[in-house]
Amino acid sequence: GEDVEQSLFLSVREGDSSVINCTYTDSSSTYLYWYKQEPGAGLQLLTYIFSNMDMKQDQRLTVLLNKKDKHLSLRIADTQTGDSAIYFCAESGPIYGQNFVFGPGTRLSVLP
Amino acid sequence: NAGVTQTPKFRILKIGQSMTLQCTQDMNHNYMYWYRQDPGMGLKLIYYSVGAGITDKGEVPNGYNVSRSTTEDFPLRLELAAPSQTSVYFCASSYGGAGETQYFGPGTRLLVL
C-alpha cells in the first residue's frame, strides 16, 4: 500500500533554516501537504502543493517537490522557538479521503 | 465561532463497553473527518463525510461507526471497545475537499483497559 516516510527528529539553532524531508510511494498522489502539530493540539495545515508544481513559497515556508524521486521537503527560514513542533507530511488523491496517508511526523526542536 | 469542538476530552473505557465521541462545528463546513493518532505516529483517517447524510470509510474504519444527520454534527461510535482502540481521536472539518484547509478539534484521549 501507499507509504509516507520522514525522519523522526531534527534539531536546529534559532535563526538557522530547517529542512524537513519526506518521501512517498504513491505515484498517483495529487496533493501533498505539510501539517504542524503543537503539544496537546490538533493538526494545523501549513501549506500544500499540487503535484504538477515544483515549488511553493509562503512567507518563511518553502515547499519543494521532486515528483520523479517522490521527494517533498519543507524549508523554514529563520527558524524560531515557536516553530518547535511535530511536522507531518501527507499525500492524497484528487478527492479527499482517497488514498490519504500521513507520515509518522518529524519532531523539530529549536535550540536557543 | 467556536470552530470544531469535541467531547469528552478524556475517557477510560473497559473492554467491550460502548461510547460515542461527539464532534460539532459551527463554520457550516461540508466536509468532516475523524482521525486517530497513535503514539509517535501520524494520523489515520477513520471515516469522513462530504455532507449531511453522506459518509464514507477511510483507511481504518473497522470497529467504528459514524452518522451525519446534520451539517454541524459528526459523532463517532465505538460499539465494543478494544485495547487496540486506545488512541487520541481528532475530528476535523473543511469547506471543501482535497487541498482545503482542515480545522481540527482539540482531540479526545481514549484509554481502553
Side-chain angles (χ1 to χ4, degrees):
Chain A
E2 299 86 9
D3 195 18
V4 177
E5 295 187 353
Q6 300 175 241
S7 53
L8 296 182
F9 300 98
L10 176 66
S11 290
V12 299
R13 293 240 173 246
E14 192 173 10
D16 288 348
S17 293
S18 309
V19 180
I20 303 171
N21 294 302
C22 168
T23 57
Y24 60 98
T25 59
D26 187 0
S27 57
S28 68
S29 297
T30 304
Y31 290 92
L32 295 127
Y33 310 82
W34 283 105
Y35 286 84
K36 177 183 181 183
Q37 185 179 33
E38 296 183 10
L43 271 66
Q44 172 193 359
L45 178 66
L46 287 177
T47 187
Y48 69 92
I49 190 167
F50 195 60
S51 61
N52 68 353
M53 297 168 66
D54 298 323
M55 186 182 91
K56 182 176 181 182
Q57 185 148 8
D58 184 1
Q59 298 182 335
R60 292 191 297 123
L61 305 179
T62 303
V63 178
L64 294 177
L65 174 61
N66 181 329
K67 196 170 179 183
K68 175 176 165 289
D69 294 338
K70 299 191 185 69
H71 182 267
L72 183 75
S73 67
L74 173 69
R75 178 176 181 271
I76 305 173
D78 187 25
T79 313
Q80 303 297 307
T81 54
D83 294 324
S84 292
I86 301 176
Y87 291 81
F88 291 94
C89 171
E91 49 122 5
S92 77
I95 300 168
Y96 198 87
Q98 182 184 68
N99 304 327
F100 197 91
V101 180
F102 277 85
T106 299
R107 183 178 294 273
L108 175 65
S109 297
V110 181
L111 308 173
Chain B
N1 286 352
V4 180
T5 56
Q6 291 182 240
T7 56
K9 284 188 170 50
F10 177 67
R11 182 78 182 267
I12 300 175
L13 283 183
K14 292 183 180 176
I15 293 171
Q17 285 186 319
S18 303
M19 80 165 292
T20 299
L21 282 68
Q22 301 290 347
C23 175
T24 300
Q25 54 91 9
D26 62 359
M27 296 174 281
N28 201 32
H29 284 168
N30 296 318
Y31 286 67
M32 295 187 75
Y33 321 88
W34 274 107
Y35 296 91
R36 59 178 287 173
Q37 184 179 30
D38 297 332
M41 305 289 286
L43 273 68
K44 291 189 183 296
L45 184 65
I46 305 171
Y47 271 95
Y48 68 102
S49 169
V50 302
I54 306 169
T55 63
D56 209 345
K57 295 178 181 178
E59 187 184 355
V60 290
N62 291 346
Y64 307 94
N65 277 304
V66 292
S67 59
R68 185 95 183 270
S69 55
T70 66
T71 300
E72 295 77 20
D73 301 306
F74 191 39
L76 178 71
R77 178 91 179 149
L78 282 73
E79 289 295 348
L80 292 170
S84 61
Q85 293 177 304
T86 293
S87 191
V88 180
Y89 291 83
F90 288 101
C91 178
S93 73
S94 64
Y95 182 72
E100 290 277 341
T101 297
Q102 291 178 53
Y103 296 83
F104 280 79
T108 294
R109 189 174 295 272
L110 177 65
L111 182 60
V112 182
L113 301 174

